[in-house]
Amino acid sequence: MTSIPASRPDDSHRAGGPRRSPEERDRARVRLTRKWAYLVSMTAYVPLVPTELEIPLREMVDTVFAAVAGEGEEAAAEAVEQVGVRLVELNCVDRKSLRTSVDILAGALLADPDLRGLDRLTERVVRVIGALSGGFAEAIRKRTADQQDSMCRALMEVTRRAVADAQERANSLNEVNTELTLLQRQLGHQLLHDPLTGLPNRQFFTTRLEEMLASPGPVTLYRLELNGFPLVSDGLGRQGGERLLGAAASRILTAAGESAMVARFDGAHFAILREGPADPEVVDRLNHALSEPAYVEESGLATTANAGVVQCPPHGADPTELLHAADLALRHATRRGPGQWVLHQPDDDADDRRLLRLAAIMPGAWETGQVRVGYRLRVRLADLEPVAVDAFVRWPEAERAGQPRHKCIDLAERTGLSQQLDGWLLRSAGERLRTWNEESGRDLPLTVSLSPNQSSAPTLVDTVLGSLAYSGLPRERLRLAMPAAELFHGREQAATNLTALAEAGVSMAVHDFDGAAGDIVYLEELPLHSVGLSAALASRAVGSPRTSLVVKALTGLVALTHLAGLPVWVDDVGAGEVDWWRAIQIDTAGFGSAGDIGLLF
């Protein structure tokens, strides 16, 4: 993430303005490459991490753009055909890989401001995309043919050697057939079993799951993940991790029971398939067995497992969908803590899928300008006078799907997009507010609440200061708030960033503060400007009688914060709640919202 984000789709050059500088064009192509690498890696197994995949994809992006812009059609077509071939070489061979690549590249080419002036742009893009698809298809055909040819040669060589050995030993033809049968069985076993643990692999497990779903009896699927496995593999090395996996596999197999099928999928992930309904004792037995130390190089290692459970799925259900449902339940169990298990609920599954879909498509929505900046007026409760303008990430599609407006940034946290949004938000809102202040004669500051990943980003200080320089908003007119959990108990980088920004002249605050006893001390230790109350605490307290425990606790928390010399604010105050919040001495509140800052005043 650079300190000043690249231009957004609504910038001037996308509306027919001046062409971009080489630096701007390079940043746009880097962003396109990252998006391509992220999406295409989700369509097929690619033996590269996304950052490594970006290197060849960046070269391919440059080739495609050069082909559209160039005049030599035959040479350009050959170069782009090699892009399709290179995709196959990178193992992006799923049909979705090509479709995703075509969608991303075609959209980027047609929207690129540097290409818009070309004659017959659409025809050029269609020709280039056709060449890429042709190269992809030919490479797939050749790869399939080569694999078939290789397998045939291997089988012929095995047969030749077997026959030669049989002839040398003067054995009968039956002996040859027996050796070939044993060889076939050995190869089949290797294809369907994990080489480390000897357990069935995902392919074998899925086939057995499909068979059992076709039978009339009930079945239960368990998806497991060992807790703390990276600690072992990082601390004791790969060999130590492999030995722990071997010991864990043996114990899981014993705890699951004789009739159960146990498989290892990848890493520290296992699966169990049992006949009958879910049995809570299975997970208890597993964790009891895994918690007994297994000795690896004289070190006693123990672990536990989280489990996602799907019980009694309908007859003939799709195995892939069931495994995905078990994965979602496993994520819920992991969020609860080590050693927990969660039974899959269809309603929860629908909610999870909706949120995951939104998180997955949010980068594209931001790229195309659907994600925008929202604004909210912050007022002083004593007289309802404006004291600041809040800026936040707003996505109408997520709001229509039931996602709270102020939670859109949580979707961006799931994919790491949030760290790209912070600079864009600060630059866009800072420039807008500075202009409005100059035109209206006001001098309102800008307030922005950061997410955990944004707060702990190593580049946050450069991003903030660079965005302020770009927008022209003075540093003292920006107030940034970090989440209490991340600032007080999360990564140390958050506190480091807060201190550095405060020293640079930016007013720093903390939000989602719930007044835990150990957190009060940080109010005096850190250079804070103000404190925002926890939304969960505020929602429970608002409207309750003054004599209730939650209101007394909240009132005491506000008083303690004031003793530390810090004003207290709360978000999402309705018009009918103003007097209630005034009574407990809240200083300012987020009051009202609108899509355009001009509508706030």
mmCIF file with all atom_site columns, all heavy atoms in Angstrom, residues 470-493:
data_model
loop_
_atom_site.group_PDB
_atom_site.id
_atom_site.type_symbol
_atom_site.label_atom_id
_atom_site.label_alt_id
_atom_site.label_comp_id
_atom_site.label_asym_id
_atom_site.label_entity_id
_atom_site.label_seq_id
_atom_site.pdbx_PDB_ins_code
_atom_site.Cartn_x
_atom_site.Cartn_y
_atom_site.Cartn_z
_atom_site.occupancy
_atom_site.B_iso_or_equiv
_atom_site.pdbx_formal_charge
_atom_site.auth_seq_id
_atom_site.auth_comp_id
_atom_site.auth_asym_id
_atom_site.auth_atom_id
_atom_site.pdbx_PDB_model_num
ATOM 1   N N   . TYR A 1 470 ? -1.783  15.517 0.131  1.00 0.00 ? 470 TYR A N   1
ATOM 2   C CA  . TYR A 1 470 ? -2.475  15.523 -1.163 1.00 0.00 ? 470 TYR A CA  1
ATOM 3   C C   . TYR A 1 470 ? -3.765  16.333 -1.095 1.00 0.00 ? 470 TYR A C   1
ATOM 4   O O   . TYR A 1 470 ? -4.067  17.120 -1.993 1.00 0.00 ? 470 TYR A O   1
ATOM 5   C CB  . TYR A 1 470 ? -2.785  14.094 -1.586 1.00 0.00 ? 470 TYR A CB  1
ATOM 6   C CG  . TYR A 1 470 ? -3.466  13.987 -2.914 1.00 0.00 ? 470 TYR A CG  1
ATOM 7   C CD1 . TYR A 1 470 ? -2.723  13.844 -4.087 1.00 0.00 ? 470 TYR A CD1 1
ATOM 8   C CD2 . TYR A 1 470 ? -4.857  14.017 -3.019 1.00 0.00 ? 470 TYR A CD2 1
ATOM 9   C CE1 . TYR A 1 470 ? -3.355  13.748 -5.319 1.00 0.00 ? 470 TYR A CE1 1
ATOM 10  C CE2 . TYR A 1 470 ? -5.497  13.929 -4.247 1.00 0.00 ? 470 TYR A CE2 1
ATOM 11  C CZ  . TYR A 1 470 ? -4.735  13.790 -5.394 1.00 0.00 ? 470 TYR A CZ  1
ATOM 12  O OH  . TYR A 1 470 ? -5.358  13.699 -6.611 1.00 0.00 ? 470 TYR A OH  1
ATOM 13  N N   . SER A 1 471 ? -4.559  16.134 -0.026 1.00 0.00 ? 471 SER A N   1
ATOM 14  C CA  . SER A 1 471 ? -5.862  16.786 0.082  1.00 0.00 ? 471 SER A CA  1
ATOM 15  C C   . SER A 1 471 ? -5.753  18.246 0.515  1.00 0.00 ? 471 SER A C   1
ATOM 16  O O   . SER A 1 471 ? -6.667  19.030 0.290  1.00 0.00 ? 471 SER A O   1
ATOM 17  C CB  . SER A 1 471 ? -6.752  16.042 1.075  1.00 0.00 ? 471 SER A CB  1
ATOM 18  O OG  . SER A 1 471 ? -6.254  16.157 2.404  1.00 0.00 ? 471 SER A OG  1
ATOM 19  N N   . GLY A 1 472 ? -4.664  18.607 1.168  1.00 0.00 ? 472 GLY A N   1
ATOM 20  C CA  . GLY A 1 472 ? -4.524  19.962 1.670  1.00 0.00 ? 472 GLY A CA  1
ATOM 21  C C   . GLY A 1 472 ? -5.188  20.199 3.003  1.00 0.00 ? 472 GLY A C   1
ATOM 22  O O   . GLY A 1 472 ? -5.235  21.343 3.482  1.00 0.00 ? 472 GLY A O   1
ATOM 23  N N   . LEU A 1 473 ? -5.711  19.168 3.638  1.00 0.00 ? 473 LEU A N   1
ATOM 24  C CA  . LEU A 1 473 ? -6.328  19.309 4.954  1.00 0.00 ? 473 LEU A CA  1
ATOM 25  C C   . LEU A 1 473 ? -5.230  19.388 6.011  1.00 0.00 ? 473 LEU A C   1
ATOM 26  O O   . LEU A 1 473 ? -4.353  18.530 6.065  1.00 0.00 ? 473 LEU A O   1
ATOM 27  C CB  . LEU A 1 473 ? -7.243  18.119 5.249  1.00 0.00 ? 473 LEU A CB  1
ATOM 28  C CG  . LEU A 1 473 ? -8.055  18.201 6.541  1.00 0.00 ? 473 LEU A CG  1
ATOM 29  C CD1 . LEU A 1 473 ? -9.172  19.236 6.397  1.00 0.00 ? 473 LEU A CD1 1
ATOM 30  C CD2 . LEU A 1 473 ? -8.648  16.830 6.889  1.00 0.00 ? 473 LEU A CD2 1
ATOM 31  N N   . PRO A 1 474 ? -5.243  20.408 6.871  1.00 0.00 ? 474 PRO A N   1
ATOM 32  C CA  . PRO A 1 474 ? -4.191  20.512 7.897  1.00 0.00 ? 474 PRO A CA  1
ATOM 33  C C   . PRO A 1 474 ? -4.202  19.298 8.830  1.00 0.00 ? 474 PRO A C   1
ATOM 34  O O   . PRO A 1 474 ? -5.260  18.731 9.118  1.00 0.00 ? 474 PRO A O   1
ATOM 35  C CB  . PRO A 1 474 ? -4.570  21.791 8.657  1.00 0.00 ? 474 PRO A CB  1
ATOM 36  C CG  . PRO A 1 474 ? -5.410  22.578 7.700  1.00 0.00 ? 474 PRO A CG  1
ATOM 37  C CD  . PRO A 1 474 ? -6.167  21.566 6.895  1.00 0.00 ? 474 PRO A CD  1
ATOM 38  N N   . ARG A 1 475 ? -3.036  18.926 9.333  1.00 0.00 ? 475 ARG A N   1
ATOM 39  C CA  . ARG A 1 475 ? -2.930  17.752 10.197 1.00 0.00 ? 475 ARG A CA  1
ATOM 40  C C   . ARG A 1 475 ? -3.778  17.890 11.454 1.00 0.00 ? 475 ARG A C   1
ATOM 41  O O   . ARG A 1 475 ? -4.393  16.932 11.914 1.00 0.00 ? 475 ARG A O   1
ATOM 42  C CB  . ARG A 1 475 ? -1.468  17.514 10.598 1.00 0.00 ? 475 ARG A CB  1
ATOM 43  C CG  . ARG A 1 475 ? -0.559  17.163 9.441  1.00 0.00 ? 475 ARG A CG  1
ATOM 44  C CD  . ARG A 1 475 ? 0.857   16.914 9.914  1.00 0.00 ? 475 ARG A CD  1
ATOM 45  N NE  . ARG A 1 475 ? 1.744   16.628 8.785  1.00 0.00 ? 475 ARG A NE  1
ATOM 46  C CZ  . ARG A 1 475 ? 3.027   16.300 8.909  1.00 0.00 ? 475 ARG A CZ  1
ATOM 47  N NH1 . ARG A 1 475 ? 3.573   16.239 10.122 1.00 0.00 ? 475 ARG A NH1 1
ATOM 48  N NH2 . ARG A 1 475 ? 3.759   16.049 7.842  1.00 0.00 ? 475 ARG A NH2 1
ATOM 49  N N   . GLU A 1 476 ? -3.809  19.102 12.018 1.00 0.00 ? 476 GLU A N   1
ATOM 50  C CA  . GLU A 1 476 ? -4.543  19.292 13.270 1.00 0.00 ? 476 GLU A CA  1
ATOM 51  C C   . GLU A 1 476 ? -6.054  19.213 13.071 1.00 0.00 ? 476 GLU A C   1
ATOM 52  O O   . GLU A 1 476 ? -6.812  19.158 14.035 1.00 0.00 ? 476 GLU A O   1
ATOM 53  C CB  . GLU A 1 476 ? -4.179  20.636 13.895 1.00 0.00 ? 476 GLU A CB  1
ATOM 54  C CG  . GLU A 1 476 ? -4.530  21.846 13.070 1.00 0.00 ? 476 GLU A CG  1
ATOM 55  C CD  . GLU A 1 476 ? -3.434  22.216 12.066 1.00 0.00 ? 476 GLU A CD  1
ATOM 56  O OE1 . GLU A 1 476 ? -2.502  21.388 11.886 1.00 0.00 ? 476 GLU A OE1 1
ATOM 57  O OE2 . GLU A 1 476 ? -3.508  23.317 11.498 1.00 0.00 ? 476 GLU A OE2 1
ATOM 58  N N   . ARG A 1 477 ? -6.532  19.193 11.790 1.00 0.00 ? 477 ARG A N   1
ATOM 59  C CA  . ARG A 1 477 ? -7.961  19.082 11.533 1.00 0.00 ? 477 ARG A CA  1
ATOM 60  C C   . ARG A 1 477 ? -8.391  17.648 11.264 1.00 0.00 ? 477 ARG A C   1
ATOM 61  O O   . ARG A 1 477 ? -9.531  17.395 10.873 1.00 0.00 ? 477 ARG A O   1
ATOM 62  C CB  . ARG A 1 477 ? -8.380  19.961 10.335 1.00 0.00 ? 477 ARG A CB  1
ATOM 63  C CG  . ARG A 1 477 ? -7.941  21.401 10.403 1.00 0.00 ? 477 ARG A CG  1
ATOM 64  C CD  . ARG A 1 477 ? -8.233  22.005 11.790 1.00 0.00 ? 477 ARG A CD  1
ATOM 65  N NE  . ARG A 1 477 ? -9.659  22.178 12.045 1.00 0.00 ? 477 ARG A NE  1
ATOM 66  C CZ  . ARG A 1 477 ? -10.189 22.259 13.246 1.00 0.00 ? 477 ARG A CZ  1
ATOM 67  N NH1 . ARG A 1 477 ? -9.416  22.171 14.327 1.00 0.00 ? 477 ARG A NH1 1
ATOM 68  N NH2 . ARG A 1 477 ? -11.486 22.413 13.399 1.00 0.00 ? 477 ARG A NH2 1
ATOM 69  N N   . LEU A 1 478 ? -7.496  16.688 11.470 1.00 0.00 ? 478 LEU A N   1
ATOM 70  C CA  . LEU A 1 478 ? -7.839  15.270 11.318 1.00 0.00 ? 478 LEU A CA  1
ATOM 71  C C   . LEU A 1 478 ? -7.823  14.596 12.681 1.00 0.00 ? 478 LEU A C   1
ATOM 72  O O   . LEU A 1 478 ? -6.896  14.783 13.470 1.00 0.00 ? 478 LEU A O   1
ATOM 73  C CB  . LEU A 1 478 ? -6.840  14.563 10.399 1.00 0.00 ? 478 LEU A CB  1
ATOM 74  C CG  . LEU A 1 478 ? -7.020  13.041 10.268 1.00 0.00 ? 478 LEU A CG  1
ATOM 75  C CD1 . LEU A 1 478 ? -8.357  12.703 9.635  1.00 0.00 ? 478 LEU A CD1 1
ATOM 76  C CD2 . LEU A 1 478 ? -5.871  12.435 9.461  1.00 0.00 ? 478 LEU A CD2 1
ATOM 77  N N   . ARG A 1 479 ? -8.879  13.796 12.964 1.00 0.00 ? 479 ARG A N   1
ATOM 78  C CA  . ARG A 1 479 ? -8.950  13.012 14.190 1.00 0.00 ? 479 ARG A CA  1
ATOM 79  C C   . ARG A 1 479 ? -9.165  11.552 13.812 1.00 0.00 ? 479 ARG A C   1
ATOM 80  O O   . ARG A 1 479 ? -10.201 11.198 13.244 1.00 0.00 ? 479 ARG A O   1
ATOM 81  C CB  . ARG A 1 479 ? -10.089 13.508 15.077 1.00 0.00 ? 479 ARG A CB  1
ATOM 82  C CG  . ARG A 1 479 ? -9.889  14.953 15.533 1.00 0.00 ? 479 ARG A CG  1
ATOM 83  C CD  . ARG A 1 479 ? -11.064 15.495 16.303 1.00 0.00 ? 479 ARG A CD  1
ATOM 84  N NE  . ARG A 1 479 ? -10.839 16.896 16.662 1.00 0.00 ? 479 ARG A NE  1
ATOM 85  C CZ  . ARG A 1 479 ? -11.763 17.670 17.226 1.00 0.00 ? 479 ARG A CZ  1
ATOM 86  N NH1 . ARG A 1 479 ? -12.972 17.182 17.483 1.00 0.00 ? 479 ARG A NH1 1
ATOM 87  N NH2 . ARG A 1 479 ? -11.485 18.930 17.515 1.00 0.00 ? 479 ARG A NH2 1
ATOM 88  N N   . LEU A 1 480 ? -8.192  10.720 14.118 1.00 0.00 ? 480 LEU A N   1
ATOM 89  C CA  . LEU A 1 480 ? -8.252  9.290  13.813 1.00 0.00 ? 480 LEU A CA  1
ATOM 90  C C   . LEU A 1 480 ? -8.528  8.512  15.095 1.00 0.00 ? 480 LEU A C   1
ATOM 91  O O   . LEU A 1 480 ? -7.929  8.786  16.138 1.00 0.00 ? 480 LEU A O   1
ATOM 92  C CB  . LEU A 1 480 ? -6.928  8.810  13.212 1.00 0.00 ? 480 LEU A CB  1
ATOM 93  C CG  . LEU A 1 480 ? -6.584  9.265  11.798 1.00 0.00 ? 480 LEU A CG  1
ATOM 94  C CD1 . LEU A 1 480 ? -5.252  8.669  11.383 1.00 0.00 ? 480 LEU A CD1 1
ATOM 95  C CD2 . LEU A 1 480 ? -7.669  8.872  10.816 1.00 0.00 ? 480 LEU A CD2 1
ATOM 96  N N   . ALA A 1 481 ? -9.420  7.526  15.001 1.00 0.00 ? 481 ALA A N   1
ATOM 97  C CA  . ALA A 1 481 ? -9.742  6.688  16.163 1.00 0.00 ? 481 ALA A CA  1
ATOM 98  C C   . ALA A 1 481 ? -9.388  5.237  15.852 1.00 0.00 ? 481 ALA A C   1
ATOM 99  O O   . ALA A 1 481 ? -9.704  4.728  14.775 1.00 0.00 ? 481 ALA A O   1
ATOM 100 C CB  . ALA A 1 481 ? -11.226 6.800  16.515 1.00 0.00 ? 481 ALA A CB  1
ATOM 101 N N   . MET A 1 482 ? -8.716  4.572  16.788 1.00 0.00 ? 482 MET A N   1
ATOM 102 C CA  . MET A 1 482 ? -8.342  3.162  16.662 1.00 0.00 ? 482 MET A CA  1
ATOM 103 C C   . MET A 1 482 ? -9.196  2.320  17.598 1.00 0.00 ? 482 MET A C   1
ATOM 104 O O   . MET A 1 482 ? -9.583  2.777  18.677 1.00 0.00 ? 482 MET A O   1
ATOM 105 C CB  . MET A 1 482 ? -6.862  2.972  17.003 1.00 0.00 ? 482 MET A CB  1
ATOM 106 C CG  . MET A 1 482 ? -5.899  3.617  16.037 1.00 0.00 ? 482 MET A CG  1
ATOM 107 S SD  . MET A 1 482 ? -4.169  3.255  16.480 1.00 0.00 ? 482 MET A SD  1
ATOM 108 C CE  . MET A 1 482 ? -3.312  3.999  15.084 1.00 0.00 ? 482 MET A CE  1
ATOM 109 N N   . PRO A 1 483 ? -9.505  1.058  17.211 1.00 0.00 ? 483 PRO A N   1
ATOM 110 C CA  . PRO A 1 483 ? -10.313 0.197  18.083 1.00 0.00 ? 483 PRO A CA  1
ATOM 111 C C   . PRO A 1 483 ? -9.569  -0.147 19.368 1.00 0.00 ? 483 PRO A C   1
ATOM 112 O O   . PRO A 1 483 ? -8.361  -0.443 19.348 1.00 0.00 ? 483 PRO A O   1
ATOM 113 C CB  . PRO A 1 483 ? -10.569 -1.047 17.225 1.00 0.00 ? 483 PRO A CB  1
ATOM 114 C CG  . PRO A 1 483 ? -9.500  -1.029 16.189 1.00 0.00 ? 483 PRO A CG  1
ATOM 115 C CD  . PRO A 1 483 ? -9.163  0.403  15.944 1.00 0.00 ? 483 PRO A CD  1
ATOM 116 N N   . ALA A 1 484 ? -10.284 -0.128 20.491 1.00 0.00 ? 484 ALA A N   1
ATOM 117 C CA  . ALA A 1 484 ? -9.660  -0.358 21.791 1.00 0.00 ? 484 ALA A CA  1
ATOM 118 C C   . ALA A 1 484 ? -8.990  -1.720 21.863 1.00 0.00 ? 484 ALA A C   1
ATOM 119 O O   . ALA A 1 484 ? -7.887  -1.863 22.393 1.00 0.00 ? 484 ALA A O   1
ATOM 120 C CB  . ALA A 1 484 ? -10.709 -0.209 22.898 1.00 0.00 ? 484 ALA A CB  1
ATOM 121 N N   . ALA A 1 485 ? -9.655  -2.760 21.358 1.00 0.00 ? 485 ALA A N   1
ATOM 122 C CA  . ALA A 1 485 ? -9.094  -4.118 21.462 1.00 0.00 ? 485 ALA A CA  1
ATOM 123 C C   . ALA A 1 485 ? -7.751  -4.219 20.752 1.00 0.00 ? 485 ALA A C   1
ATOM 124 O O   . ALA A 1 485 ? -6.808  -4.839 21.253 1.00 0.00 ? 485 ALA A O   1
ATOM 125 C CB  . ALA A 1 485 ? -10.083 -5.131 20.891 1.00 0.00 ? 485 ALA A CB  1
ATOM 126 N N   . GLU A 1 486 ? -7.648  -3.603 19.585 1.00 0.00 ? 486 GLU A N   1
ATOM 127 C CA  . GLU A 1 486 ? -6.391  -3.671 18.830 1.00 0.00 ? 486 GLU A CA  1
ATOM 128 C C   . GLU A 1 486 ? -5.328  -2.789 19.477 1.00 0.00 ? 486 GLU A C   1
ATOM 129 O O   . GLU A 1 486 ? -4.161  -3.175 19.575 1.00 0.00 ? 486 GLU A O   1
ATOM 130 C CB  . GLU A 1 486 ? -6.629  -3.226 17.388 1.00 0.00 ? 486 GLU A CB  1
ATOM 131 C CG  . GLU A 1 486 ? -5.398  -3.300 16.487 1.00 0.00 ? 486 GLU A CG  1
ATOM 132 C CD  . GLU A 1 486 ? -4.970  -4.722 16.194 1.00 0.00 ? 486 GLU A CD  1
ATOM 133 O OE1 . GLU A 1 486 ? -5.769  -5.646 16.417 1.00 0.00 ? 486 GLU A OE1 1
ATOM 134 O OE2 . GLU A 1 486 ? -3.828  -4.910 15.741 1.00 0.00 ? 486 GLU A OE2 1
ATOM 135 N N   . LEU A 1 487 ? -5.717  -1.626 19.938 1.00 0.00 ? 487 LEU A N   1
ATOM 136 C CA  . LEU A 1 487 ? -4.758  -0.678 20.502 1.00 0.00 ? 487 LEU A CA  1
ATOM 137 C C   . LEU A 1 487 ? -4.203  -1.152 21.836 1.00 0.00 ? 487 LEU A C   1
ATOM 138 O O   . LEU A 1 487 ? -3.003  -1.034 22.106 1.00 0.00 ? 487 LEU A O   1
ATOM 139 C CB  . LEU A 1 487 ? -5.428  0.688  20.673 1.00 0.00 ? 487 LEU A CB  1
ATOM 140 C CG  . LEU A 1 487 ? -4.557  1.835  21.175 1.00 0.00 ? 487 LEU A CG  1
ATOM 141 C CD1 . LEU A 1 487 ? -3.387  2.082  20.231 1.00 0.00 ? 487 LEU A CD1 1
ATOM 142 C CD2 . LEU A 1 487 ? -5.385  3.104  21.341 1.00 0.00 ? 487 LEU A CD2 1
ATOM 143 N N   . PHE A 1 488 ? -5.051  -1.728 22.692 1.00 0.00 ? 488 PHE A N   1
ATOM 144 C CA  . PHE A 1 488 ? -4.629  -2.107 24.036 1.00 0.00 ? 488 PHE A CA  1
ATOM 145 C C   . PHE A 1 488 ? -4.106  -3.543 24.122 1.00 0.00 ? 488 PHE A C   1
ATOM 146 O O   . PHE A 1 488 ? -3.222  -3.829 24.923 1.00 0.00 ? 488 PHE A O   1
ATOM 147 C CB  . PHE A 1 488 ? -5.799  -1.960 25.009 1.00 0.00 ? 488 PHE A CB  1
ATOM 148 C CG  . PHE A 1 488 ? -6.349  -0.559 25.104 1.00 0.00 ? 488 PHE A CG  1
ATOM 149 C CD1 . PHE A 1 488 ? -7.644  -0.331 25.513 1.00 0.00 ? 488 PHE A CD1 1
ATOM 150 C CD2 . PHE A 1 488 ? -5.555  0.541  24.784 1.00 0.00 ? 488 PHE A CD2 1
ATOM 151 C CE1 . PHE A 1 488 ? -8.159  0.955  25.596 1.00 0.00 ? 488 PHE A CE1 1
ATOM 152 C CE2 . PHE A 1 488 ? -6.048  1.828  24.867 1.00 0.00 ? 488 PHE A CE2 1
ATOM 153 C CZ  . PHE A 1 488 ? -7.361  2.039  25.271 1.00 0.00 ? 488 PHE A CZ  1
ATOM 154 N N   . HIS A 1 489 ? -4.639  -4.436 23.311 1.00 0.00 ? 489 HIS A N   1
ATOM 155 C CA  . HIS A 1 489 ? -4.298  -5.853 23.462 1.00 0.00 ? 489 HIS A CA  1
ATOM 156 C C   . HIS A 1 489 ? -3.882  -6.524 22.149 1.00 0.00 ? 489 HIS A C   1
ATOM 157 O O   . HIS A 1 489 ? -3.632  -7.725 22.136 1.00 0.00 ? 489 HIS A O   1
ATOM 158 C CB  . HIS A 1 489 ? -5.490  -6.623 24.043 1.00 0.00 ? 489 HIS A CB  1
ATOM 159 C CG  . HIS A 1 489 ? -6.046  -6.022 25.290 1.00 0.00 ? 489 HIS A CG  1
ATOM 160 N ND1 . HIS A 1 489 ? -5.347  -5.995 26.477 1.00 0.00 ? 489 HIS A ND1 1
ATOM 161 C CD2 . HIS A 1 489 ? -7.228  -5.386 25.529 1.00 0.00 ? 489 HIS A CD2 1
ATOM 162 C CE1 . HIS A 1 489 ? -6.077  -5.386 27.401 1.00 0.00 ? 489 HIS A CE1 1
ATOM 163 N NE2 . HIS A 1 489 ? -7.214  -4.998 26.860 1.00 0.00 ? 489 HIS A NE2 1
ATOM 164 N N   . GLY A 1 490 ? -3.831  -5.785 21.065 1.00 0.00 ? 490 GLY A N   1
ATOM 165 C CA  . GLY A 1 490 ? -3.489  -6.378 19.775 1.00 0.00 ? 490 GLY A CA  1
ATOM 166 C C   . GLY A 1 490 ? -2.026  -6.224 19.438 1.00 0.00 ? 490 GLY A C   1
ATOM 167 O O   . GLY A 1 490 ? -1.141  -6.294 20.300 1.00 0.00 ? 490 GLY A O   1
ATOM 168 N N   . ARG A 1 491 ? -1.773  -5.956 18.185 1.00 0.00 ? 491 ARG A N   1
ATOM 169 C CA  . ARG A 1 491 ? -0.394  -5.828 17.709 1.00 0.00 ? 491 ARG A CA  1
ATOM 170 C C   . ARG A 1 491 ? 0.248   -4.526 18.207 1.00 0.00 ? 491 ARG A C   1
ATOM 171 O O   . ARG A 1 491 ? -0.417  -3.482 18.246 1.00 0.00 ? 491 ARG A O   1
ATOM 172 C CB  . ARG A 1 491 ? -0.384  -5.875 16.179 1.00 0.00 ? 491 ARG A CB  1
ATOM 173 C CG  . ARG A 1 491 ? -0.699  -7.236 15.612 1.00 0.00 ? 491 ARG A CG  1
ATOM 174 C CD  . ARG A 1 491 ? -1.198  -7.178 14.183 1.00 0.00 ? 491 ARG A CD  1
ATOM 175 N NE  . ARG A 1 491 ? -2.573  -6.708 14.120 1.00 0.00 ? 491 ARG A NE  1
ATOM 176 C CZ  . ARG A 1 491 ? -3.304  -6.709 12.999 1.00 0.00 ? 491 ARG A CZ  1
ATOM 177 N NH1 . ARG A 1 491 ? -2.776  -7.144 11.865 1.00 0.00 ? 491 ARG A NH1 1
ATOM 178 N NH2 . ARG A 1 491 ? -4.574  -6.279 13.016 1.00 0.00 ? 491 ARG A NH2 1
ATOM 179 N N   . GLU A 1 492 ? 1.517   -4.596 18.561 1.00 0.00 ? 492 GLU A N   1
ATOM 180 C CA  . GLU A 1 492 ? 2.213   -3.420 19.086 1.00 0.00 ? 492 GLU A CA  1
ATOM 181 C C   . GLU A 1 492 ? 2.279   -2.289 18.066 1.00 0.00 ? 492 GLU A C   1
ATOM 182 O O   . GLU A 1 492 ? 2.410   -1.120 18.436 1.00 0.00 ? 492 GLU A O   1
ATOM 183 C CB  . GLU A 1 492 ? 3.629   -3.804 19.521 1.00 0.00 ? 492 GLU A CB  1
ATOM 184 C CG  . GLU A 1 492 ? 3.684   -4.749 20.717 1.00 0.00 ? 492 GLU A CG  1
ATOM 185 C CD  . GLU A 1 492 ? 5.111   -5.054 21.129 1.00 0.00 ? 492 GLU A CD  1
ATOM 186 O OE1 . GLU A 1 492 ? 6.032   -4.488 20.504 1.00 0.00 ? 492 GLU A OE1 1
ATOM 187 O OE2 . GLU A 1 492 ? 5.297   -5.856 22.060 1.00 0.00 ? 492 GLU A OE2 1
ATOM 188 N N   . GLN A 1 493 ? 2.174   -2.631 16.785 1.00 0.00 ? 493 GLN A N   1
ATOM 189 C CA  . GLN A 1 493 ? 2.291   -1.609 15.743 1.00 0.00 ? 493 GLN A CA  1
ATOM 190 C C   . GLN A 1 493 ? 1.202   -0.556 15.866 1.00 0.00 ? 493 GLN A C   1
ATOM 191 O O   . GLN A 1 493 ? 1.413   0.612  15.517 1.00 0.00 ? 493 GLN A O   1
ATOM 192 C CB  . GLN A 1 493 ? 2.210   -2.275 14.359 1.00 0.00 ? 493 GLN A CB  1
ATOM 193 C CG  . GLN A 1 493 ? 2.476   -1.343 13.189 1.00 0.00 ? 493 GLN A CG  1
ATOM 194 C CD  . GLN A 1 493 ? 3.909   -0.822 13.185 1.00 0.00 ? 493 GLN A CD  1
ATOM 195 O OE1 . GLN A 1 493 ? 4.844   -1.576 13.375 1.00 0.00 ? 493 GLN A OE1 1
ATOM 196 N NE2 . GLN A 1 493 ? 4.081   0.481  12.964 1.00 0.00 ? 493 GLN A NE2 1
#
